Amino acid sequence: MRKVLQTPIKDEDLESLNIGDVVYLTGTLVTCRDVAHRRLIELGRELPVDLKGGAIFHAGPIVRQKENGEYEMVSIGPTTSMRMEKFEKEFIKQTGVKLIVGKGGMGIETQEGCVENKAVHAIFPGGCAVLAATKVEKIEDAQWKDLGMPETLWVNRVKEFGPLIISIDTKGKNLIEENKKVFNAKKGPILSKINEKIRFIK
């Protein structure tokens, strides 16, 4: 069954999700990356967008302005979520955001923030930025345009945006960290075999 999250997202919408689950998002998705996080957390500037029960996307989109003045999404690919790690726990607490989407996983601080405030992080597959743009029905608003196109808070109305792979759930599970343990356990024997074959290399 196709799991679709609808904004505003409630705590109970997330409680049944587990790492590795694939979901889609319908509703409002706001692009929000480095500088917006810094303005809120380090500079104490209030965000011009209400994120309570909402979803953000760590992304630097390409946007085109049409003749009528409206904006059109051309490409919207994820940027590395780990860059926001030092801000995300407090960001979740202050904004009430429920879904954070980006590229790659996030660390222990975000993990704690997701448990304490009932939120999840999800990975959007890289290399699908143009396809992702087709899921943006309309750009409804643009805030902090002084930051330039990649850092602007683009408020998008999306329909079944995804696939989104849950990487941190509300129970504190972290898909990337768990996978690292599995991969590292397998790495030792494999490296031993490789070293036997190339031991002549100094």
Side-chain angles (χ1 to χ4, degrees):
M1 183 176 176
R2 195 180 183 94
K3 175 69 174 179
V4 179
L5 294 174
Q6 174 88 45
T7 58
I9 301 168
K10 302 178 179 63
D11 289 357
E12 51 265 34
D13 297 332
L14 304 177
E15 289 170 352
S16 64
L17 294 180
N18 298 296
I19 54 172
D21 287 351
V22 175
V23 301
Y24 296 80
L25 177 72
T26 292
T28 302
L29 177 63
V30 182
T31 61
C32 183
R33 46 185 281 168
D34 306 65
V35 180
H37 280 71
R38 289 194 183 101
R39 278 188 172 181
L40 176 68
I41 306 304
E42 292 183 342
L43 302 179
R45 291 184 60 176
E46 185 177 351
L47 288 179
V49 177
D50 184 6
L51 294 178
K52 188 174 183 180
I56 63 170
F57 192 13
H58 297 153
I62 298 173
V63 177
R64 173 170 52 216
Q65 189 167 23
K66 299 188 287 186
E67 290 184 3
N68 63 4
E70 293 183 356
Y71 292 102
E72 179 182 26
M73 189 62 67
V74 177
S75 171
I76 182 169
T79 195
T80 304
S81 284
M82 190 57 80
R83 293 208 313 273
M84 273 57 75
E85 171 66 16
K86 64 179 179 179
F87 305 115
E88 209 68 77
K89 180 178 180 179
E90 185 63 23
F91 188 94
I92 296 169
K93 180 181 178 181
Q94 288 193 31
T95 64
V97 68
K98 290 298 176 184
L99 172 65
I100 300 120
V101 180
K103 181 170 69 177
M106 298 194 77
I108 186 66
E109 292 288 316
T110 300
Q111 194 173 317
E112 291 173 357
C114 286
V115 172
E116 293 171 9
N117 301 281
K118 297 296 182 186
V120 297
H121 177 269
I123 297 169
F124 181 82
C128 302
V130 174
L131 175 63
T134 67
K135 300 299 182 181
V136 177
E137 294 186 318
K138 183 179 176 62
I139 296 177
E140 297 184 323
D141 194 12
Q143 295 289 334
W144 284 350
K145 289 189 285 185
D146 60 296
L147 297 178
M149 187 183 296
E151 296 280 357
T152 293
L153 297 172
W154 298 101
V155 182
N156 307 282
R157 186 173 73 231
V158 299
K159 184 173 182 181
E160 296 197 6
F161 185 90
L164 309 174
I165 305 163
I166 301 299
S167 67
I168 298 176
D169 59 27
T170 60
K171 308 165 193 72
K173 294 281 190 177
N174 188 319
L175 179 65
I176 301 300
E177 293 304 316
E178 294 198 8
N179 282 346
K180 282 181 184 177
K181 293 176 184 177
V182 174
F183 300 150
N184 285 334
K186 294 178 179 179
K187 184 171 68 175
I190 293 171
L191 285 176
S192 295
K193 289 182 180 179
I194 293 173
N195 288 335
E196 288 176 8
K197 303 296 183 181
I198 61 171
R199 64 181 180 272
F200 60 89
I201 299 176
K202 301 297 182 183

